[in-house]
C-alpha cells in the first residue's frame, strides 16, 4: 500500500473520507500546539504581573514603612504640625502618611488591619507625644506586621529572581 492508495479509490477517484480524516488530524494537531503555546504565554504574563504587583507593594508600602521603623518623627502619637503648614518637615510627615493610606490596598489583610488600627490610635493633636497602652500596642502590632511582610516579600521576590 502506498500513499496513492490512501487518497484514491479503487476506481481512481479521490477518497474524500481519507483526505478529510487526515486534514482533521493535522488541524487538530495545530490547534493543540497553538493552545499549548497560548497557555505558556499566559503563564509567563501572569508571572510578570505577579512580580510587578509584589515589587509595587514593596516599593510603595512595605519598604517606606520598614525604613521608618524607629523614626520618632513619623511614628509619634500626635501629628507633627498642621496640614497646611509651609514647613517642609510638616509636609513630609503628611505626604508620608497620605502615600501609606493611598497604597495600603497593596498589602495583605493583616498589614492593612495593622495600619488601620495604628491610624485609629493616633491623635490629631499637634505634637502629642503621650504614650498610652492602646497606642503602644497598635504601634507594636504595626511594626511586627511590617517586618513580617517585608521578610515575606524579600523571600518571594528572591524566589522569582528579583533582588529587593
Amino acid at each position: 500500500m502506498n500513499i496513492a492508495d490512501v487518497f484514491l479509490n479503487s476506481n481512481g477517484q479521490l477518497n474524500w473520507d481519507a483526505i478529510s480524516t487526515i486534514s482533521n488530524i493535522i488541524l487538530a494537531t495545530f490547534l493543540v500546539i497553538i493552545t499549548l503555546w497560548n497557555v505558556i504565554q499566559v503563564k509567563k504574563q501572569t508571572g510578570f504581573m505577579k512580580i510587578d504587583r509584589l515589587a509595587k507593594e514593596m516599593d510603595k508600602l512595605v519598604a517606606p514603612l520598614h525604613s521608618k521603623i524607629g523614626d520618632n518623627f513619623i511614628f509619634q502619637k500626635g501629628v507633627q504640625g498642621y496640614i497646611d503648614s509651609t514647613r517642609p518637615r510638616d509636609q513630609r510627615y503628611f505626604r508620608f502618611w497620605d502615600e501609606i493610606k493611598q497604597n495600603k490596598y497593596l498589602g495583605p489583610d493583616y498589614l492593612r488591619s495593622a495600619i488601620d488600627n495604628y491610624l485609629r490610635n493616633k491623635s490629631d493633636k499637634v505634637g502629642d507625644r503621650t504614650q498610652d497602652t492602646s497606642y503602644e500596642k497598635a504601634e507594636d502590632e504595626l511594626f511586627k506586621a511590617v517586618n513580617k511582610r517585608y521578610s515575606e516579600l524579600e523571600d518571594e521576590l528572591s524566589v522569582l529572581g528579583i533582588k529587593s
Side-chain angles (χ1 to χ4, degrees):
M1 177 180 245
N2 61 26
I3 294 180
D5 293 338
V6 172
F7 291 109
L8 297 175
N9 288 331
S10 58
N11 61 4
Q13 292 186 345
L14 289 174
N15 183 353
W16 288 107
D17 290 336
I19 293 171
S20 173
T21 301
I22 292 171
S23 65
N24 282 339
I25 290 171
I26 293 170
L27 289 174
T29 303
F30 280 127
L31 182 63
V32 167
I33 291 169
I34 290 170
T35 302
L36 288 174
W37 184 81
N38 281 334
V39 166
I40 291 168
Q41 297 306 311
V42 167
K43 185 175 180 180
K44 283 182 186 178
Q45 186 63 31
T46 302
F48 293 141
M49 289 170 54
K50 182 175 182 179
I51 290 170
D52 288 346
R53 174 73 168 71
L54 293 174
K56 186 176 181 181
E57 179 184 353
M58 179 64 102
D59 291 343
K60 301 217 177 248
L61 181 65
V62 178
L65 282 167
H66 188 265
S67 70
K68 299 295 184 186
I69 290 177
D71 184 338
N72 293 331
F73 171 71
I74 294 295
F75 291 103
Q76 62 177 301
K77 184 174 180 186
V79 293
Q80 179 61 33
Y82 295 100
I83 197 164
D84 58 354
S85 172
T86 58
R87 293 183 352 185
R89 184 174 169 151
D90 294 349
Q91 292 174 355
R92 187 176 51 142
Y93 173 87
F94 288 107
R95 192 173 326 112
F96 176 84
W97 284 111
D98 286 345
E99 288 174 8
I100 295 301
K101 290 174 193 173
Q102 180 181 359
N103 292 306
K104 74 178 179 179
Y105 75 94
L106 293 167
D109 288 341
Y110 70 88
L111 182 57
R112 287 194 312 265
S113 175
I115 292 169
D116 289 339
N117 188 35
Y118 175 78
L119 293 173
R120 268 193 308 274
N121 282 285
K122 282 182 67 63
S123 169
D124 290 335
K125 294 179 186 173
V126 174
D128 182 1
R129 296 185 185 270
T130 62
Q131 298 286 327
D132 57 24
T133 55
S134 64
Y135 174 78
E136 288 175 356
K137 183 179 175 187
E139 184 181 59
D140 187 53
E141 176 189 342
L142 177 61
F143 291 169
K144 286 179 182 175
V146 168
N147 285 327
K148 177 182 176 188
R149 188 59 183 158
Y150 188 84
S151 177
E152 290 172 352
L153 285 173
E154 275 190 322
D155 292 345
E156 287 184 57
L157 289 170
S158 68
V159 165
L160 296 170
I162 306 299
K163 195 172 187 179
S164 56

